[in-house]
Amino acid sequence: VEHAPIAVHGEHVYLGLSGAGVFVFNRTTGELEETWGSTEEWWIWDDEGELFSNFVNLPNSWVMSLHTDVNGDVYVGHEGGFVRRTDSGFESPSGQDGLFFGGATTAFASDSTHLYALQSWQGLCRYRLTDLEPQGCWSNRPNSAVQIDVSDGTSLRIPSFGRLYATTEHGAYLIDTVNQTLLQEWTSGGTTWNTPVVVWNSIAHL
Protein backbone atom coordinates (compact mmCIF):
# COMPACT_ATOMS: atom_id res chain seq x y z
CA VAL A 1 0.00 0.00 0.00
CA GLU A 2 1.50 3.32 -1.06
CA HIS A 3 -0.18 5.37 1.69
CA ALA A 4 -1.55 4.18 5.04
CA PRO A 5 -2.09 7.21 7.30
CA ILE A 6 -3.48 6.92 10.84
CA ALA A 7 -5.29 9.46 13.01
CA VAL A 8 -6.69 9.08 16.53
CA HIS A 9 -9.34 11.10 18.35
CA GLY A 10 -11.33 10.15 21.42
CA GLU A 11 -12.54 6.57 21.16
CA HIS A 12 -11.78 6.18 17.47
CA VAL A 13 -8.81 5.18 15.35
CA TYR A 14 -8.92 6.14 11.67
CA LEU A 15 -6.89 4.06 9.23
CA GLY A 16 -6.56 5.18 5.64
CA LEU A 17 -5.52 2.88 2.81
CA SER A 18 -4.77 4.30 -0.61
CA GLY A 19 -7.30 2.95 -3.09
CA ALA A 20 -9.55 1.54 -0.37
CA GLY A 21 -10.69 4.49 1.77
CA VAL A 22 -10.85 4.95 5.54
CA PHE A 23 -11.65 2.39 8.24
CA VAL A 24 -12.96 3.63 11.57
CA PHE A 25 -12.20 1.41 14.57
CA ASN A 26 -13.22 1.61 18.21
CA ARG A 27 -9.88 1.97 19.98
CA THR A 28 -11.11 0.09 23.05
CA THR A 29 -12.85 -2.90 21.49
CA GLY A 30 -11.05 -2.96 18.13
CA GLU A 31 -14.42 -3.23 16.39
CA LEU A 32 -14.73 -1.81 12.87
CA GLU A 33 -17.52 0.76 13.22
CA GLU A 34 -17.54 2.49 9.83
CA THR A 35 -16.04 2.14 6.37
CA TRP A 36 -15.57 5.21 4.18
CA GLY A 37 -15.01 4.31 0.55
CA SER A 38 -16.15 4.72 -3.02
CA THR A 39 -19.16 2.81 -4.31
CA GLU A 40 -17.16 2.27 -7.51
CA GLU A 41 -14.82 -0.12 -5.69
CA TRP A 42 -15.76 -3.81 -5.99
CA TRP A 43 -14.67 -4.87 -2.51
CA ILE A 44 -17.29 -2.87 -0.61
CA TRP A 45 -20.13 -4.99 -2.02
CA ASP A 46 -21.05 -8.35 -0.50
CA ASP A 47 -22.08 -11.51 -2.35
CA GLU A 48 -25.72 -10.38 -2.43
CA GLY A 49 -24.83 -7.07 -4.07
CA GLU A 50 -25.37 -5.06 -0.88
CA LEU A 51 -23.03 -2.49 0.64
CA PHE A 52 -21.13 -3.38 3.78
CA SER A 53 -22.96 -2.29 6.93
CA ASN A 54 -22.07 1.18 8.25
CA PHE A 55 -20.70 2.19 4.86
CA VAL A 56 -20.20 5.90 4.11
CA ASN A 57 -19.55 7.09 0.56
CA LEU A 58 -16.19 8.90 0.33
CA PRO A 59 -15.76 11.24 -2.69
CA ASN A 60 -12.26 9.89 -3.42
CA SER A 61 -10.87 6.66 -1.96
CA TRP A 62 -7.22 7.28 -2.90
CA VAL A 63 -6.37 8.42 0.63
CA MET A 64 -2.97 10.00 1.28
CA SER A 65 -3.31 11.71 4.69
CA LEU A 66 -5.58 11.94 7.74
CA HIS A 67 -5.98 14.54 10.47
CA THR A 68 -8.33 15.37 13.36
CA ASP A 69 -8.83 18.89 14.71
CA VAL A 70 -9.71 20.23 18.15
CA ASN A 71 -13.40 19.73 17.43
CA GLY A 72 -12.97 16.06 16.53
CA ASP A 73 -13.68 16.59 12.84
CA VAL A 74 -11.69 14.31 10.52
CA TYR A 75 -9.86 15.50 7.39
CA VAL A 76 -9.17 13.07 4.58
CA GLY A 77 -6.47 14.08 2.10
CA HIS A 78 -6.63 12.33 -1.26
CA GLU A 79 -5.07 12.52 -4.71
CA GLY A 80 -7.23 15.45 -5.82
CA GLY A 81 -7.70 17.53 -2.66
CA PHE A 82 -9.35 16.86 0.69
CA VAL A 83 -12.67 16.64 2.49
CA ARG A 84 -13.80 17.11 6.07
CA ARG A 85 -16.00 14.54 7.78
CA THR A 86 -18.52 16.02 10.21
CA ASP A 87 -21.78 14.82 11.73
CA SER A 88 -23.57 16.13 8.62
CA GLY A 89 -21.36 14.34 6.08
CA PHE A 90 -18.38 15.31 3.94
CA GLU A 91 -17.56 18.87 2.92
CA SER A 92 -14.75 20.33 0.82
CA PRO A 93 -13.12 23.79 0.55
CA SER A 94 -14.50 24.22 -2.96
CA GLY A 95 -18.05 23.68 -1.84
CA GLN A 96 -18.34 21.01 -4.52
CA ASP A 97 -17.91 17.25 -4.27
CA GLY A 98 -14.31 17.40 -3.10
CA LEU A 99 -12.95 15.39 -6.01
CA PHE A 100 -10.46 17.94 -7.32
CA PHE A 101 -9.28 20.89 -5.30
CA GLY A 102 -5.69 21.93 -4.73
CA GLY A 103 -4.10 18.70 -5.86
CA ALA A 104 -2.83 15.74 -3.86
CA THR A 105 -3.02 16.57 -0.15
CA THR A 106 -0.15 14.92 1.71
CA ALA A 107 -0.30 16.47 5.21
CA PHE A 108 -2.38 18.57 7.61
CA ALA A 109 -1.94 20.62 10.77
CA SER A 110 -4.44 22.75 12.65
CA ASP A 111 -4.87 25.08 15.60
CA SER A 112 -8.02 26.58 17.11
CA THR A 113 -8.71 28.86 14.13
CA HIS A 114 -6.97 27.53 11.01
CA LEU A 115 -6.30 24.37 9.05
CA TYR A 116 -3.06 24.02 7.07
CA ALA A 117 -2.77 21.60 4.16
CA LEU A 118 0.13 20.58 1.91
CA GLN A 119 -1.29 20.43 -1.62
CA SER A 120 0.66 19.59 -4.75
CA TRP A 121 -0.96 22.18 -7.03
CA GLN A 122 -1.46 25.06 -4.61
CA GLY A 123 1.40 24.75 -2.13
CA LEU A 124 0.97 25.13 1.63
CA CYS A 125 -2.57 26.46 2.04
CA ARG A 126 -4.39 27.93 5.03
CA TYR A 127 -8.15 27.56 5.57
CA ARG A 128 -10.49 29.07 8.13
CA LEU A 129 -11.46 26.22 10.42
CA THR A 130 -15.11 27.19 10.82
CA ASP A 131 -16.12 27.03 7.15
CA LEU A 132 -12.97 25.95 5.25
CA GLU A 133 -12.79 29.31 3.50
CA PRO A 134 -9.36 29.55 1.76
CA GLN A 135 -7.07 32.14 3.35
CA GLY A 136 -4.25 31.94 0.82
CA CYS A 137 -1.40 29.62 -0.12
CA TRP A 138 2.39 29.78 0.14
CA SER A 139 4.54 28.38 -2.63
CA ASN A 140 7.43 29.28 -4.93
CA ARG A 141 5.17 31.33 -7.17
CA PRO A 142 6.22 35.01 -7.57
CA ASN A 143 3.11 36.37 -5.82
CA SER A 144 3.43 34.16 -2.73
CA ALA A 145 3.91 36.04 0.56
CA VAL A 146 6.16 33.24 1.84
CA GLN A 147 8.55 31.81 -0.75
CA ILE A 148 8.80 28.05 -0.19
CA ASP A 149 8.93 24.98 -2.40
CA VAL A 150 6.60 22.32 -0.97
CA SER A 151 5.81 20.52 -4.22
CA ASP A 152 7.18 17.38 -2.55
CA GLY A 153 5.87 18.21 0.93
CA THR A 154 5.62 15.37 3.45
CA SER A 155 4.53 16.64 6.88
CA LEU A 156 3.30 19.63 8.91
CA ARG A 157 3.67 20.36 12.61
CA ILE A 158 2.63 23.28 14.86
CA PRO A 159 5.09 23.40 17.81
CA SER A 160 3.68 26.61 19.35
CA PHE A 161 1.40 29.52 18.56
CA GLY A 162 2.26 31.22 15.29
CA ARG A 163 4.87 28.67 14.27
CA LEU A 164 4.59 25.97 11.62
CA TYR A 165 7.13 23.38 10.46
CA ALA A 166 6.79 22.03 6.93
CA THR A 167 8.98 19.17 5.76
CA THR A 168 9.66 18.12 2.19
CA GLU A 169 11.78 15.45 0.54
CA HIS A 170 14.64 17.97 0.34
CA GLY A 171 14.51 19.67 3.74
CA ALA A 172 12.26 21.73 6.00
CA TYR A 173 10.87 25.22 6.66
CA LEU A 174 9.91 27.10 9.81
CA ILE A 175 7.19 29.66 9.12
CA ASP A 176 5.77 32.52 11.20
CA THR A 177 2.09 32.12 10.35
CA VAL A 178 1.03 35.35 12.09
CA ASN A 179 3.34 37.67 10.13
CA GLN A 180 3.58 35.33 7.13
CA THR A 181 7.35 35.25 7.06
CA LEU A 182 9.93 32.49 6.60
CA LEU A 183 12.03 32.21 9.76
CA GLN A 184 14.37 29.38 8.83
CA GLU A 185 15.07 26.95 6.02
CA TRP A 186 17.02 23.70 6.08
CA THR A 187 18.26 21.78 3.05
CA SER A 188 19.21 18.13 3.36
CA GLY A 189 21.45 17.91 0.31
CA GLY A 190 19.48 14.82 -0.72
CA THR A 191 16.13 13.19 -0.25
CA THR A 192 14.88 12.93 3.34
CA TRP A 193 12.59 10.03 2.43
CA ASN A 194 9.49 11.38 4.11
CA THR A 195 10.99 11.90 7.57
CA PRO A 196 8.87 14.08 9.88
CA VAL A 197 9.98 16.89 12.18
CA VAL A 198 10.45 15.92 15.83
CA VAL A 199 10.82 18.69 18.40
CA TRP A 200 12.73 17.82 21.59
CA ASN A 201 14.02 20.34 24.17
CA SER A 202 13.22 23.23 21.81
CA ILE A 203 15.35 21.68 19.04
CA ALA A 204 13.88 20.55 15.73
CA HIS A 205 15.27 17.24 14.48
CA LEU A 206 14.92 16.02 10.89
Side-chain angles (χ1 to χ4, degrees), residues 30-68:
E31 179 184 359
L32 177 63
E33 295 189 352
E34 279 189 346
T35 302
W36 306 346
S38 171
T39 53
E40 296 179 359
E41 302 293 337
W42 64 268
W43 62 267
I44 52 89
W45 303 90
D46 63 21
D47 294 337
E48 283 72 41
E50 299 292 332
L51 287 170
F52 284 169
S53 60
N54 298 321
F55 176 83
V56 179
N57 190 32
L58 184 66
N60 190 314
S61 62
W62 292 92
V63 178
M64 302 182 72
S65 55
L66 289 172
H67 175 71
T68 58

Side-chain angles (χ1 to χ4, degrees), residues 18-179:
S18 180
V22 178
F23 302 88
V24 184
F25 295 91
N26 184 298
R27 66 184 300 184
T28 302
T29 65
E31 179 184 359
L32 177 63
E33 295 189 352
E34 279 189 346
T35 302
W36 306 346
S38 171
T39 53
E40 296 179 359
E41 302 293 337
W42 64 268
W43 62 267
I44 52 89
W45 303 90
D46 63 21
D47 294 337
E48 283 72 41
E50 299 292 332
L51 287 170
F52 284 169
S53 60
N54 298 321
F55 176 83
V56 179
N57 190 32
L58 184 66
N60 190 314
S61 62
W62 292 92
V63 178
M64 302 182 72
S65 55
L66 289 172
H67 175 71
T68 58
D69 64 18
V70 293
N71 302 312
D73 292 337
V74 184
Y75 299 82
V76 182
H78 53 71
E79 62 180 1
F82 73 89
V83 292
R84 175 166 64 183
R85 171 68 168 162
T86 66
D87 292 338
S88 57
F90 289 105
E91 57 182 340
S92 66
S94 60
Q96 304 298 318
D97 57 10
L99 286 175
F100 296 102
F101 185 85
T105 303
T106 56
F108 296 101
S110 64
D111 52 28
S112 60
T113 57
H114 290 97
L115 172 77
Y116 299 88
L118 277 175
Q119 300 184 271
S120 60
W121 299 342
Q122 303 277 46
L124 172 49
C125 298
R126 179 164 63 173
Y127 299 87
R128 194 163 55 205
L129 202 61
T130 53
D131 56 5
L132 293 184
E133 180 69 23
Q135 303 291 292
C137 299
W138 303 318
S139 66
N140 56 358
R141 295 186 178 93
N143 61 345
S144 175
V146 180
Q147 287 290 314
I148 55 176
D149 179 9
V150 290
S151 57
D152 56 354
T154 57
S155 73
L156 293 174
R157 179 183 174 86
I158 299 177
S160 59
F161 174 76
R163 297 293 184 268
L164 176 67
Y165 285 110
T167 65
T168 69
E169 290 189 359
H170 59 265
Y173 301 98
L174 175 59
I175 300 167
D176 179 339
T177 57
V178 175
N179 299 303

